[in-house]
Structures are given as structure tokens and as C-alpha cells.
């Protein structure tokens, strides 16, 4: 059986190699093996020094995240105990970082006396993105080595640094160079240290240099973190842990770190963020797809439509180094689209995010065209045209005879049937939905909508594509609104109904943003444009299965020419981008409520939040039960990466599991009673939710294909 740490001696230097694919996560098995071999090396008089390195592309991704929920993370030998042993070693210990070192992997390196690293390595403390903080000495050793400012930036942002930046800050001592094999070179570096009588440097003997800190820096940094981390629990605790390094002796600082780590570990936010970490990765696991299914080649992408979505999608591909041919029907639209792309890249240069050379390289990959036949040799063509079935069918009929055999034909539709579009071609097996979310360059989510006849390798290619353009692809089935927008509708319906029943748009929006939503329903409607919503509804009146009161206010605002931000007035008034409450809208709501015989009443914040969230969760349960989505985590990934749901709550389905399915079912039943005729029509618990509540189970345990 493969050892999780291998042991060898080269030139009187013991080499301990982590070997626990895929990322050398330091679970208990690896910790035991590491301790055993460390003690062997310490006890062997012929061994003069020790090198710690690893197999694989990464040095180590840190602690085994899966151990947190299982309560195994603190089981002996613990990481802090191991690192103390390494740091106290009477023999020189060198960390030879053959690749990225993250979290506990970097803490392991900090416990060593010296650090030798490959130039391409990334080094970081991503714990804050898991709702925790470095819990094995990282918050105490790092500031002592690189200073409080660099340490605070790394630990509170979770962003990794390059090996070069690490060399500059003193985090690492030497970059590997030359042709010599890495481990041999690391052993050579170690022998040189021995020859020079290099001291056994340990971070614990250092103190944080505060002399270079600007006055009031720590307080100011803490205030900034408090402002930008609203709702997240860990970032401020990261600051407190580093402050302990600045004010307490090492031992006491370690104790303070351990306290803060455990405080974070047992929070709903930590559970939520760790859930999302695994959920994002599980999205790529498609039960019906054989792991042997190979993706098709993806070297050239065609995009039909140079509008906002088409342009954003084009940028996502050229950002990833994939050539794009961007087509539009007329010269003026194409030029406008290309200019918008050029302006966006220019802004990136002004913000220091890209250099001029990088922008030129990207623009060189982008070719505009007015001719369909120039898409003939594309491996993938994405239609991003007007959201109208007839328009899309016409485009796909054209692509059918233009595109080479095996080319993937994708639609960016947000709700239309991929099967119906596929039927406009003779190759439905090559047709798929790629629903990007606006702004397409920035939003990470792509809903990958497989039609009933979409070939397996087309789905696999779409998943690979998503990873290549640094997005997260979630595979969903065909239904109106797929998964994200299908859950959005009842959520928006309740928000609108609440306004008719007596809550103002601004209060509904505030309750939702206080919960953590990136935007409220009505500010989002004003941003998207009431006119867009009305046009979509008018193009498909039969597909909206909601209460007629749902769109009453929007339709009236539309007829009043109040389209939202674009017209300066919608649910709100606007001065530039400043949103202003408009009493006229509440007066309109009163008038419309009266016309529907809706009795208005005072409505509290709890009811607003529960009604909006419970119907969203309930619809999500139906989406899973119908097999439109494979698992609840997929819906959480969709909502946190495409719909503005707060990451620190883990997504709507994680939130439901956190507060309890039984409470949600009881709440839905309660509103069914309280809201009389409307409640009877729109508040029926999903059978899946009822079953899980009855059995005391969670949504996270349910998988596609199980009977509700
Ligand atoms: N623990 C358990 N599994 C992990 C893991 C980890 N730390 N990191 C990755 N995996 C799994 C992942 O779920 C996937 O599984 C496979 O490895 C490949 O991952 C004590 C307390 C390192 C940048 O937060 O950021 O140390 O889906 O697809 O794209 O103070 O993995 O194949 O079944 O992401 O090459 C801190 C988390 C832990 C780093 C590599 N460390 N990992 O990206 O591979 S807490 C982290 C990553 C800690 C200490 C604290 C990325 C990566 P599967 P992948 P990748």
C-alpha cells in the first residue's frame, strides 16, 4: 500500500516526501506518517539535516477540510504539535516547496528553519474563504517573519502570493533555478546551509517588527475589514489572531489563535463556506456520465451576437487565451460591440488589472465578422442573440449547415427550451445550453443545460470549457427557467405580492440585503429593466405560471415609461446611480391592491424574509425532485455564483439545512393558512421537503433519482 509519506536519505540528509494525492491534504494518516519519519530522522545519528518535500503538482493544500465536520482535525498527532516538534528540531529542517503550499501546508513550511521553493509556486492562507483562520501557528509565525502588514493582507484576503513576492518579503529563502532536479537541488541547498553553519532559525524566537507600522494601522485595518466583511465571521478573527502575534509572547499567541480558530470553526458561516468549497467541486460529478467520456477539442469559439452578453462571453474566452470570432448581423452593432470590449479592457488597464500588452494580446485573439460562414471551422458556437424562440431557431438552422461536423452549437438562452432549439437542427446531439449570467465576463456561473438528446461528450466539453474560462459550470436539465431563474420567480413573486399587501419596495429590499443578498428584488428589477421583463413575458404568456398580481406593478410602471435605471425611474427614482425612494410607487401599490381586493396590513421583517426565502427553497426542492438539478449543492453553487446569495450562508439549500427543514415546512404550512386564498394557491410544501422533514434528513443528503 502506498505510504502517505516516503522516507529516504541522500548525502546524510533525510528526505521526507508527502505522497497523498491529489493535493497532499494533511489528514490524520499523513500526520502519523510524517511524525514517524521525522522521529526516525531525528534518531538517526547519520542524518545531519532533514528536507520536507512532496510528490505531485502541489506541496500541500493544507489540512484535510473533510476532517473538520468529522471532528478528526484535532486528533493526534495534531498539526500544531507536529509543527512544534519540527521547529524544536536540533537538526536543520528545510521545506522544499515543489509546488503550491496552502493553509497548513504553508504553516508546515513556516515551522521549518528554511524554505526553498520552485519559482512557479503560489503560497497562501485561504482559510478565511472556509470561514476559519490558520489554526496551526500561521497567524503567529507569519507576522514574525514578514511583518504585520503583509501577514494581515495574506491572512484576511486569502489570496496567495507568488514565489517571487514571497522571496522579497522573506517568507522563503531561495528560489530553485537551473537544470538540476528539484529535490537534489534542495538537498544541495541544505548541505550548503550545514557547511556555512547556518543557525536553526525558528519564527517563535522572532518578534513582530512594529516599528514600520504607520500609527493606528492595526485599528484602521480592523475597521476596514469589519466594513468589507459584513456577515462573515472569520475575517475579524484573523485580524485578532495577528494582533495577538503583535502583542503576546509566542506561546500565549498560539493559545489565542487556537481559541479564535475554534470560535470560527463552529459557526454556520464556516459550515456554509466549507459546504460551498466541496459543492463547487462536486458539480463536475455527473452520475449518468461515464468518467471515460472524453471532451471534444476546443480551440476556436464563435459567438453570435455582439451585444452585452455576447461581448461579455467573448471576453471570458479571450481572457483564457481562446480565440473568438464574434459575429453580428450588421456593421454598426458589431462595431459597437467591439468598442465596448475595447473600452472594458482599457478600464482594466486604468485600474492596473491588466497591462497594455496583455490587452493587445487579448484583442489579437478576437475577430469580428458579419458572415456566418466565418464560423464554419469553430469548435463551439454560442448563440447570444435576442431572447426570442423564432430568432434562435433561425440562427440554429443557419449554424446547422455552416458549422463543421462535431461542432458544438450552444444557446445562451436564459429560459427557452434547449430541446425546441435543438429540433431546429439535424444534429440535436451537438446542441446544448450555456446560460451565462450577466455580466458574463465577471459572473463565475454557467448553467450547462443538457437537452434530452445532447451527447455526453458535449456535456463533458462544456464542463471542461467552464473550468478553462475560470467559471463554475453546473449541469441542469430543461424546464422553464432551468434552475436559477426557476427559483427566482417565486422569490420575486412573493416580493411583489408583499408590496401589494403593505410592505414598501425599499423595506423588502432592505430585509433581503440585510440577510446578505447582493441586491434587493426591486433594485435588481430596475437594473435589469422593467421593459426587458415585460417583453419576455409578452413573448411567452403561456409559460408564466404565477399569480396575476405578480407583475401588476412592473407592468404598470412599464406603461408609465418607468423602465428602471435606464429611464431614471422604476421602482425607485434615480439621480445618476443614486437610488431614491419614490412615494408614487407605494401609492400605485395601494391603488392596484384595491383593484384586486387585497387588504393591506402592517407586515414585519420576519414575514418578508420567510415568504421570499421559503418559496425559493421550496421551488429548489421541486427542481431536485424532478431531476432538473442533480443535487442541492448545485443549486447553492448557482445562487451564490450567479444570483447574489450570500456566500456566508452557503446557498438557499444549505441555509435550509442549517435552520432546519421542519421549520421551513411548518412555515410554509403556516402561510398557507394565514394568506387564505392566495396562501392556498401558492404555499404548498414540496413532497420532498415534507419527506425530509418527516425523516429528520437534510437536503444535502438527497441525490437525483431518489424517490421523494
Ligand atoms: N482538504 C481536502 N480535500 C481537498 C483539499 C483540502 N485542503 N484541497 C483540495 N481538495 C480536494 C478537492 O475537493 C478535489 O476533490 C481535489 O482535492 C482537487 O481539488 C491547519 C485549518 C489547492 C488550489 O483551503 O484551494 O489548512 O473533487 O479541484 O484546482 O491552519 O484545491 O477531486 O474529489 O481544487 O488543482 C486550507 C483548498 C485548508 C486549500 C488546488 N487549504 N484547496 O486546486 O484542485 S484548512 C485550502 C484549494 C487548513 C490550517 C488550516 C485547491 C488548490 P475531488 P481542486 P486544483
Amino acid at each position: 500500500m502506498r505510504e502517505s509519506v516516503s522516507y529516504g536519505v541522500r548525502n546524510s540528509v533525510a528526505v521526507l516526501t508527502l505522497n497523498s494525492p491529489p493535493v497532499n491534504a494533511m489528514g490524520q494518516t499523513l500526520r502519523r506518517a510524517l511524525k514517524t519519519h521525522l522521529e526516525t530522522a531525528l534518531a538517526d545519528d547519520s542524518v545531519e539535516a532533514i528536507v520536507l518535500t512532496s510528490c505531485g503538482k502541489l506541496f500541500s493544500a493544507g489540512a484535510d477540510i473533510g476532517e473538520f465536520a468529522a471532528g478528526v482535525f484535532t486528533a493526534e498527532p495534531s498539526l500544531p504539535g507536529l509543527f512544534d516538534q519540527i521547529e524544536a528540531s536540533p537538526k536543520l529542517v528545510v521545506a522544499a516547496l515543489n509546488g503550491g503550499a496552502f493553509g497548513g501546508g504553508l504553516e508546515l513550511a513556516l515551522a521549518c528553519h528554511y524554505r526553498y521553493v520552485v519559482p512557479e509556486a503560489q503560497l497562501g492562507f485561504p482559510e478565511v474563504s472556509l470561514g476559519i483562520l490558520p489554526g496551526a501557528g500561521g497567524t503567529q509565525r507569519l507576522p514574525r517573519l514578514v511583518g504585520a502588514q503583509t501577514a494581515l493582507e495574506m491572512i484576511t484576503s486569502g489570496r496567495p502570493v507568488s514565489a517571487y513576492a514571497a522571496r522579497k518579503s522573506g517568507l522563503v529563502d531561495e528560489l530553485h533555478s537551473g537544470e538540476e532536479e528539484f529535490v537534489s537541488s534542495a538537498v544541495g541547498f541544505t548541505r550548503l546551509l550545514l557547511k556555512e553553519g547556518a543557525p536553526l532559525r525558528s519564527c517563535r524566537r522572532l518578534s513582530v517588527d512594529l516599528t514600520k507600522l504607520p500609527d493606528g494601522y492595526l485599528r484602521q485595518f480592523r475597521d476596514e475589514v469589519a466594513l468589507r466583511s459584513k456577515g462573515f465571521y472569520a475575517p475579524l478573527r484573523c485580524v485578532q489572531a495577528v494582533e495577538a502575534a503583535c502583542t503576546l509572547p509566542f506561546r500565549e499567541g498560539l493559545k489565542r489563535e487556537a481559541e479564535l480558530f475554534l470560535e470560527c470553526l463552529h459557526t454556520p458561516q464556516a459550515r456554509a463556506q466549507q459546504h460551498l468549497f466541496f459543492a463547487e467541486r462536486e458539480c463536475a460529478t455527473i452520475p449518468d456520465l461515464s468518467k471515460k467520456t472524453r471532451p471534444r477539442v476546443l480551440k476556436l469559439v464563435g459567438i453570435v451576437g455582439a451585444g452585452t452578453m455576447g461581448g461579455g462571453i467573448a471576453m471570458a474566452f479571450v481572457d483564457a487565451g481562446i480565440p473568438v470570432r464574434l459575429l453580428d448581423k450588421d456593421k454598426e452593432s458589431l462595431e459597437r460591440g467591439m468598442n465596448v470590449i475595447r473600452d472594458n479592457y482599457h478600464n482594466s488597464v486604468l485600474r492596473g488589472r491588466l497591462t497594455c500588452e496583455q490587452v493587445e494580446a487579448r484583442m489579437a485573439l478576437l475577430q469580428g465578422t458579419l458572415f456566418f460562414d466565418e464560423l464554419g471551422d469553430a469548435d463551439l458556437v454560442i448563440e447570444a442573440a435576442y431572447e426570442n424562440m423564432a430568432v434562435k431557431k433561425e440562427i440554429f438552422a443557419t449554424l446547422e449547415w455552416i458549422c463543421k461536423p462535431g461542432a458544438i452549437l450552444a444557446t445562451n438562452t436564459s429560459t427557452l427550451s434547449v430541446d425546441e432549439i435543438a429540433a431546429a437542427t439535424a444534429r440535436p446531439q451537438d446542441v446544448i445550453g450555456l446560460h451565462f449570467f450577466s455580466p458574463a465576463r465577471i459572473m463565475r456561473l454557467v448553467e450547462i443545460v443538457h437537452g434530452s438528446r445532447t451527447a455526453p461528450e458535449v456535456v463533458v466539453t462544456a464542463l471542461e470549457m467552464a473550468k478553462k474560462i475560470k467559471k463554475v459550470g453546473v449541469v441542469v436539465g430543461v424546464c422553464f427557467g432551468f434552475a436559477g431563474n426557476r427559483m427566482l420567480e417565486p422569490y420575486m413573486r412573493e416580493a411583489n405580492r408583499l408590496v401589494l399587501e403593505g410592505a414598501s419596495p425599499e423595506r423588502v429590499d432592505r430585509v433581503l440585503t440585510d440577510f446578505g443578498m447582493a441586491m434587493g428584488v426591486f433594485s435588481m428589477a430596475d437594473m435589469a429593466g422593467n421593459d426587458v421583463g415585460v417583453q419576455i413575458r409578452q413573448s411567452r404568456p403561456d409559460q408564466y405560471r404565477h399569480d396575476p398580481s405578480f407583475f401588476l406593478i412592473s407592468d404598470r410602471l412599464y406603461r408609465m415609461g418607468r423602465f428602471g435605471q435606464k429611464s431614471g425611474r422604476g421602482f425607485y427614482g434615480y439621480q445618476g446611480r443614486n437610488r431614491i425612494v419614490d412615494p408614487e410607487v407605494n401609492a400605485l401599490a395601494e391603488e392596484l391592491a384595491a383593484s384586486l381586493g387585497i387588504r393591506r396590513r402592517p407586515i414585519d421583517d420576519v414575514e418578508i424574509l420567510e415568504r421570499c426565502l421559503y418559496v425559493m427553497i421550496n421551488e429548489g426542492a421541486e427542481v431536485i425532485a424532478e431531476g432538473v438539478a442533480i443535487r442541492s449543492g448545485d443549486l447553492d453553487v448557482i445562487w451564490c455564483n450567479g444570483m447574489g446569495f450570500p456566500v456566508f450562508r452557503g446557498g438557499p439549500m444549505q441555509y435550509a439545512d442549517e435552520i432546519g427543514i421542519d421549520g421551513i415546512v411548518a412555515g410554509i404550512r403556516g402561510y398557507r393558512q394565514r394568506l387564505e386564498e392566495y396562501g392556498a394557491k401558492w404555499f404548498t410544501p414540496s413532497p420532498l421537503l415534507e419527506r425530509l422533514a418527516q425523516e429528520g434528513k437534510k437536503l444535502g443528503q438527497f441525490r437525483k433519482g431518489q424517490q421523494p
Side-chain angles (χ1 to χ4, degrees), residues 172 308 312 482 497 597 599 638 699:
V172 301
T308 307
F482 312 135
R497 178 74 186 198
R599 179 173 39 82
I638 285 172
L699 280 158

Side-chain angles (χ1 to χ4, degrees), residues 22-23 25-26 57-58 60-66 68 73 79 83 102-105 107 125-127 130 132-138 261 277-278 281-282 285 467:
V23 295
M26 297 193 283
K57 62 178 182 175
L58 285 173
S60 169
D64 180 339
I65 302 168
F68 298 146
F73 167 67
L79 284 179
F83 298 167
F102 301 94
E107 288 175 303
F125 284 116
E127 288 88 338
L130 297 171
I132 50 179
L133 50 84
F261 176 80
F277 173 84
F278 287 117
R281 285 154 181 81
E282 194 177 9
T285 303
K467 200 162 184 175

Side-chain angles (χ1 to χ4, degrees), residues 114-137:
Y114 293 87
R115 285 154 288 281
Y116 184 78
V117 61
V118 291
E120 65 272 17
Q122 291 278 303
L123 311 172
F125 284 116
E127 288 88 338
V128 70
S129 310
L130 297 171
I132 50 179
L133 50 84

Side-chain angles (χ1 to χ4, degrees), residues 330-337 370:
D330 62 68
K331 194 167 182 301
E332 187 201 350
S333 306
L334 179 62
E335 276 181 5
R336 185 168 55 245
L370 297 169

Side-chain angles (χ1 to χ4, degrees), residues 631-643:
R631 56 186 81 80
S632 64
D634 290 7
L635 301 180
D636 291 331
V637 171
I638 285 172
W639 271 82
C640 289
N641 288 281
M643 320 287 280

